[in-house]
Structures are given as structure tokens and as C-alpha cells.
Amino acid sequence: MTHTSLHISPRSILRSVAIIGAYLLVITVAMRAATTLVWFLEACVFAALSWPVVQRLHRHMSNTAAILLITALLALSVSAIAALGLTELQEESAKFQRNVPAAVRDLEGTEGLGSLIKKLQIADDIERFADQVTNQVRFRNADLRGIASRVGEGASAVFVVWILTVMIIFTGPSMVNGAIELAPETKREPIRWVLKLAYSTSTKYMGFMALQSLAVLLITFTVSTWLGIDLPGLLAVTAALLAFVPYVGIFAGALPLALLALLNGPKQALAVLVGAFILQILDAYFVQRKVDVATVPVGIFPTMLAAMIGFSLRGPGGLLVGVALATMAMAVLGNTGAMRTIRSLDDTDLANSPVDPVAPESADSANPVAMSPGEIS
């Protein structure tokens, strides 16, 4: 039995130290610049989603005017939702301060339970808690300096992401082309074809889902207002975000609405659930299936996983970024045959049996709905 000996030379030691040092340096820089990297990633996603809209508006105005118009519309939308949410919270806190302590005081007059409530001084605690909630929502006795600091931090982050987004909109195509040129010559055109197909299908998918989310927002807000349910704006925004999850998102978004409708009676809650279930079935069979065929089938699990991770990290904006990244990844890794075409291409195969990199046969045979670059808008 032969034994192999391990030879350690000073050169190998230096290489090991250099590799470990480079690894630690990269990890340290990434951890220190985590916030900046997240901002850059968000800007890339927002720029990629905004680019088709900018191109369409460019037919009627300059790119700068189109970007300013999109920015103004988004700012107005976010401001309106924030103002609506704050107004609803103030109204609900006023109701809570007015009704809940009074109800507890009434319970003090009952036999048995009333004496226990008096001994524990629950009514006083509830009244103090209601006053605190109301004062915080209405900014009474609030730490205005701390609030201003948090608002300033959020505004600065939004401004930085917006600046990066505008820069990437103007320079993104050249950056992508430059990155593709670094690949081997035989694989540049297939990579370009894959990215064009993935970008086209993923942006179309996000566009369809955004329209569906907007429709769910309007329906939820209308139904909540019509039924007299509290917090219609918050319920509508929650339902709109959950609507990005295919096949189950509409029904999941209706659950908070049904829970609050239960306060008005079980019939209202049941009607909300039945209506949401019917709407979800119709959407799954007549809308979502066509969207998946025309774009990319992302699926429930990848969307939910990306949405939960994004929301836990960055809130509603992170949710949208996570869903967009999952869509792009599924578009690249989907069964189009394009990735197999890239892996199978090498100099030998190209010399022996030339392959058309723009419209690979494997892509069409693997996926009947695969598109050629000429079909990508």
C-alpha cells in the first residue's frame, strides 16, 4: 500500500494566506457596504422594470421627461397611500380611545367579573394605553427630533435609490453589452439571446401582475368601503401586495377583509370569502394560465419565498424587488433550451457543426412558446 506524502512549501503557504486574506477582505467589504449593495440592487430592479415604460413614453417625449413623469406619478401614489393610511390609523385610534375604555368601565359594574377588573385596575391600564396610542398616531408628546431623523434617513435612502435608478436607465444597456463582450466570442450571441428573452418575458410578467394587483386594490377598497369595514386603505394595499403571488394571492389577500367583516356578522365574512374564492378560480383559469404561457411560469413557491424574504428585509418595496428577481431567475433558468445551448457551445462543436446562436433548435423543441429575438419587443 502506497502512501502519499504532503509537501508544504513556502510558496503554497503564501498562496493559502493570500486566498484566505482575499476572502476575508471581500466578506468585510460586503458586510460594511451591505446597505449600499442593497440600494444598488433595488435600483437595478427598478430601472429594469421602468425601462419598457420609458421606451414607450419616448415616442412622445424625451427620456428625461419620461423619467420625471414616472417619478411624479409614483411619488403622488405613495404619498396618497401614506396619507390615507395615516388618516385611517388616526380614526381607528380615536374609536379605540372612545369605545374600549368605556366598555371596560361597563364591565366593572357586573357581578363577579367586575370586582376582579376593579382589583386588577384593568380599566385604568386600558385607558392609559388608549391615550398613548392616540397621542403617538396624532404626534402628541412625540419625539419630533427622532421622527424627523427617521424620516430624513428614509428620504435620503429613497433619493439615493432614485439617483442610481436614473443612472442605470441611461447606462444600463451599455453596461450589459460590455459585460457580454467579456464572455468567449462563441457564447456572446447565445448569452445575449438568453438575456433578451429572459428580460422580455419577466418584464411582461411583472406588468401583467402589476395590473392585476391594481385591480385587486380597487376592488378591495370598494368592497371595504361599501360594507363599512374599518381600514379599507390598509386592507386594499395588503390585498394588492399579496396579489403578486399567483393562483392563491387573491384569496389570501381577502382573508384580512373577511376577518374584519366578521365583526359586522358572519354573513358578510362568508360572502367575502366566497366572492374571493370565485374570483381566484376565474383568475387562475382564464388569466394566470394565459400569462404563464405568454411570459414565464414563476410558480407559487418561488414567488412566496422571494416575497417573504424581500418583505422581511425592506418592507413592501423589498417584496416587489424579491418577486422581480425571482421572475428574472425563473425566466433565465426556465425550460427554453437556451441554457443548454450555451453550455453545449464550444469551439470544437462550432467548427464541426455550426449552431445558429440566435434561434437555437433546442429552444424551440424544448418550449413551444419560446420566442426568437425578432419577436421580443
Side-chain angles (χ1 to χ4, degrees):
M1 183 175 179
T2 59
H3 298 277
T4 58
S5 57
L6 179 63
H7 298 283
I8 300 177
S9 63
R11 188 174 182 180
S12 62
I13 295 176
L14 290 176
R15 284 181 178 179
S16 302
V17 172
I19 292 173
I20 295 175
Y23 171 77
L24 294 177
L25 178 63
V26 170
I27 294 298
T28 303
V29 172
M31 293 179 64
R32 293 290 181 90
T35 302
T36 305
L37 293 176
V38 170
W39 286 349
F40 181 75
L41 181 61
E42 290 177 344
C44 289
V45 173
F46 292 148
L49 296 178
S50 303
W51 177 249
V53 182
V54 173
Q55 289 298 99
R56 289 185 179 275
L57 292 177
H58 183 62
R59 302 172 185 174
H60 310 286
M61 61 185 73
S62 64
N63 284 341
T64 303
I67 292 172
L68 292 177
L69 177 60
I70 295 173
T71 302
L73 292 176
L74 288 176
L76 289 175
S77 301
V78 173
S79 300
I81 292 175
L84 179 62
L86 181 60
T87 302
E88 290 180 351
L89 289 176
Q90 290 177 348
E91 292 177 353
E92 291 304 311
S93 64
K95 290 181 181 178
F96 182 85
Q97 186 184 31
R98 183 172 59 252
N99 297 330
V100 175
V104 176
R105 294 292 184 187
D106 293 338
L107 287 176
E108 286 184 346
T110 60
E111 297 181 359
L113 183 61
S115 59
L116 179 62
I117 293 176
K118 286 182 179 180
K119 289 180 181 180
L120 297 177
Q121 297 180 345
I122 295 178
D124 296 333
D125 294 337
I126 292 293
E127 191 169 352
R128 282 195 296 268
F129 175 73
D131 292 338
Q132 291 175 0
V133 171
T134 305
N135 291 334
Q136 288 180 358
V137 173
R138 296 183 179 274
F139 302 106
R140 297 171 182 168
N141 302 325
D143 183 12
L144 297 180
R145 183 175 298 178
I147 294 174
S149 176
R150 290 192 294 270
V151 171
E153 291 177 359
S156 62
V158 171
F159 181 74
V160 170
V161 172
W162 179 77
I163 290 293
L164 291 174
T165 302
V166 174
M167 294 175 60
I168 293 172
I169 286 177
F170 285 108
T171 63
S174 60
M175 291 171 58
V176 173
N177 289 330
I180 293 175
E181 291 300 321
L182 297 177
E185 186 176 357
T186 57
K187 297 186 179 183
R188 292 174 187 172
E189 288 304 317
I191 292 175
R192 185 175 284 110
W193 181 81
V194 170
L195 293 180
K196 280 185 176 181
L197 178 60
Y199 178 69
S200 175
T201 54
S202 58
T203 51
K204 288 179 181 178
Y205 178 87
M206 290 299 296
F208 282 124
M209 299 305 290
L211 291 176
Q212 175 176 287
S213 175
L214 179 61
V216 170
L217 184 144
L218 296 176
I219 292 173
T220 305
F221 184 81
T222 302
V223 171
S224 302
T225 305
W226 180 53
L227 295 178
I229 299 175
D230 296 330
L231 303 174
L234 181 60
L235 292 174
V237 172
T238 303
L241 291 176
L242 289 174
F244 277 93
V245 181
Y247 296 106
V248 297
I250 295 177
F251 184 77
L255 293 179
L257 177 60
L259 183 62
L260 290 181
L262 189 62
L263 300 176
N264 296 339
K267 291 183 179 180
Q268 278 194 9
L270 183 61
V272 169
L273 291 176
V274 171
F277 181 77
I278 294 174
L279 185 61
Q280 182 69 81
I281 294 296
L282 294 176
D283 173 79
Y285 277 92
F286 297 105
V287 179
Q288 193 65 48
R289 284 188 174 184
K290 293 182 179 180
V291 171
D292 290 346
V293 171
T295 57
V296 53
V298 181
I300 300 175
F301 178 74
T303 306
M304 290 187 64
L305 181 62
M308 288 188 295
I309 294 176
F311 186 83
S312 63
L313 294 176
R314 303 292 290 181
L319 183 147
L320 298 178
V321 171
V323 172
L325 290 176
T327 304
M328 189 70 177
M330 294 301 294
V332 173
L333 301 176
N335 190 22
T336 63
M339 298 305 296
R340 290 196 300 274
T341 302
I342 292 179
R343 288 194 295 266
S344 65
L345 280 177
D346 53 35
D347 295 336
T348 305
D349 293 339
L350 192 66
N352 296 335
S353 57
V355 179
D356 182 6
V358 178
E361 267 188 301
S362 59
D364 295 333
S365 60
N367 185 0
V369 300
M371 297 182 296
S372 65
E375 298 172 320
I376 299 175
S377 58

